[in-house]
Amino acid sequence: HALSPEESDELCRLILREARATARINHPHVVQIYDVIQTEEWPWIVMEYIPSLSLYKVIQHEGPLPPGEVAVIGLALLEALNAAHAAGILHRDVKPDNVLIGEDGRVMLTDFGLAREADGRMTQTNRLGTPQYVAPERAQKGISSRESDLWSLGATLYAAVEGRSPYQRKTMMETLTALATGPPDPMTLAGALEPVIMSLLRREPAERSTPDKLEAALKAVLNAGAAPHPVPPPRSHRRRRAPYHRRALAAVPALLLTLMLPAAVGGEPPTTGSKAPEPAGVMACERRAEGTKRLPPSAQAPRGQQYGLMDGWIWYRDPSGFAVAVPGHWNYWQVPEAVCFADPTSSRVLGVGAGPLDGPGYRLLAAKEVMLAEPASEREFVWNGDERKRHAVALVTSTMTILWASDDFDFQPSRALYDVVRATFQAYTSTS
């Protein structure tokens, strides 16, 4: 309301243009924009919802984070920035407030409110982000580039491992003066991560670490044994649900090292041109079988499941000893070691049976422990499907795996259906 009608129209136009540009970024570590709408009064941006705390609040609650955890965060944010830069987008406001740590341990880059489409390599503007996380060339000349995004990434990782920004001062003017005239404050807690972060905070953009070198350096920190260790959640009474689970982040470096091990011992990873092995267990449900059947009429709910299902859903009871609710119009079939269900009108697939979980281009995105009657874990991952990228979440117990998979672009919209499936799943005996 403080703007003139002309200024308001221009701001709305910029918001919509930048949101549409940002919507081109489809990456597991970037909060997705689903739609952009202009009503008569306001522009609206429909975004992915991530139950989370910002990295800034995590640092406030828990203090400086261990170098291993910060290295994991750095790898995730580097992937996000690489995806943005590949799409021709500069973020221009990377800072702890704009990094989300999800309840499931995911690391997400958000708030592209200052983002600009990069015309070539650089763009100029008078708009600044938070001074403590702005690269020197932006603060002095207003020039943004991929290298300035990487400087801000370095300042963010510095804050995560040290508990403060590299140029933290009492006033904005003091901060900008320090940024323009001096080196970053000495690091005391970063350990092996110090040279990695300092390689991003060099004053000259051309002297900063490149994305490839940065990725290798962060992985080397993890290889050197700087993996994070589980710690209790913060004691802050303001946190109602303890969104930040270090156990989920702690699992990522170990899995990363496992995936890197063949290369470390001289093994050759499979090439993209090699023929992938036939999928087994629940992953075989990805190959929709000929002669699939319609689901049988609704069965009686298993004992203990007294609530009603959503309209159009039915109970499926399998002789192998489980019951689950699924949409009634879906098809089903069996493969060795699994029962498969699929939506005939979309790419969504449900498999119940045995693992393993793998595929060409398999990449784990998140892993966390789940509180059930027996030890269980939940894994989110992507892989290269026959026609397009696939995205899945799987609940893994000692006896059974539940796989929910879809095309990557449809995964977040369909995730709520998986939550229903998981809530209704129940193993039973012949007398249940």
Side-chain angles (χ1 to χ4, degrees), residues 67-81:
E69 286 188 16
V70 177
V72 173
I73 294 170
L75 285 168
L77 295 179
L78 177 61
E79 284 190 29
L81 286 176

Side-chain angles (χ1 to χ4, degrees), residues 47-360:
M47 305 176 71
E48 177 185 8
Y49 172 63
I50 307 292
S52 60
L53 278 184
S54 70
L55 178 59
Y56 173 76
K57 290 184 177 179
V58 171
I59 298 169
Q60 276 191 321
H61 289 170
E62 304 184 4
L65 305 182
E69 286 188 16
V70 177
V72 173
I73 294 170
L75 285 168
L77 295 179
L78 177 61
E79 284 190 29
L81 286 176
N82 284 341
H85 294 165
I89 302 296
L90 302 177
H91 188 283
R92 307 197 312 122
D93 198 20
V94 179
K95 59 184 180 181
D97 299 84
N98 291 338
V99 177
L100 301 182
I101 308 298
E103 286 185 350
D104 56 3
R106 283 190 296 167
V107 179
M108 307 291 286
L109 182 62
T110 187
D111 198 351
F112 282 73
L114 292 185
R116 283 286 191 189
E117 292 186 79
D119 183 8
R121 287 191 75 250
M122 292 188 175
T123 182
Q124 281 191 284
T125 177
N126 293 325
R127 299 169 68 195
L128 271 182
T130 303
Q132 296 174 5
Y133 300 97
V134 171
E137 65 273 16
R138 281 199 63 212
Q140 294 173 343
K141 303 177 183 178
I143 298 176
S144 298
S145 67
R146 293 170 176 84
E147 290 77 15
S148 61
D149 271 354
L150 290 176
W151 193 97
S152 298
L153 171 61
T156 297
L157 300 182
Y158 183 113
V161 76
E162 294 290 328
R164 56 183 176 82
S165 67
Y167 289 96
Q168 183 170 303
R169 301 293 187 271
K170 293 181 179 180
T171 68
M172 180 185 299
M173 184 57 64
E174 289 176 326
T175 297
L176 292 174
T177 300
L179 182 66
T181 60
D185 296 337
M187 304 184 75
T188 59
L189 303 174
L193 203 57
E194 179 178 359
V196 183
I197 294 176
M198 296 305 289
S199 72
L200 295 173
L201 297 180
R202 292 171 181 163
R203 186 165 301 279
E204 293 299 325
E207 297 177 358
R208 292 170 198 157
S209 181
T210 64
D212 289 344
K213 290 181 179 179
L214 177 59
E215 179 181 4
L218 289 170
K219 288 180 178 178
V221 171
L222 296 178
N223 258 331
H229 300 282
V231 297
R235 294 187 295 272
S236 171
H237 66 279
R238 293 173 294 178
R239 181 180 297 188
R240 298 177 183 176
R241 297 184 296 171
Y244 179 67
H245 294 304
R246 289 179 183 266
R247 288 181 297 177
L249 266 178
V252 179
L255 290 164
L256 175 64
L257 294 177
T258 301
L259 294 173
M260 293 169 59
L261 185 60
V265 298
E268 291 292 333
T271 63
T272 54
S274 61
K275 184 177 180 181
E278 286 296 316
V282 293
M283 293 298 288
C285 295
E286 280 290 294
R287 306 285 173 87
R288 301 199 183 198
E290 296 293 333
T292 58
K293 307 173 185 177
R294 292 296 300 272
L295 283 165
S298 182
Q300 182 180 0
R303 184 177 300 171
Q305 301 279 21
Q306 304 299 327
Y307 51 81
L309 296 175
M310 293 190 297
D311 290 343
W313 286 57
I314 66 172
W315 284 103
Y316 173 84
R317 292 172 66 102
D318 192 80
S320 65
F322 73 87
V324 67
V326 290
H329 69 282
W330 281 30
N331 297 328
Y332 83 105
W333 67 99
Q334 291 186 320
V335 297
E337 300 185 291
V339 179
C340 308
F341 308 84
D343 182 357
T345 64
S346 75
S347 66
R348 300 169 184 177
V349 170
L350 170 68
V352 181
L357 302 173
D358 56 18

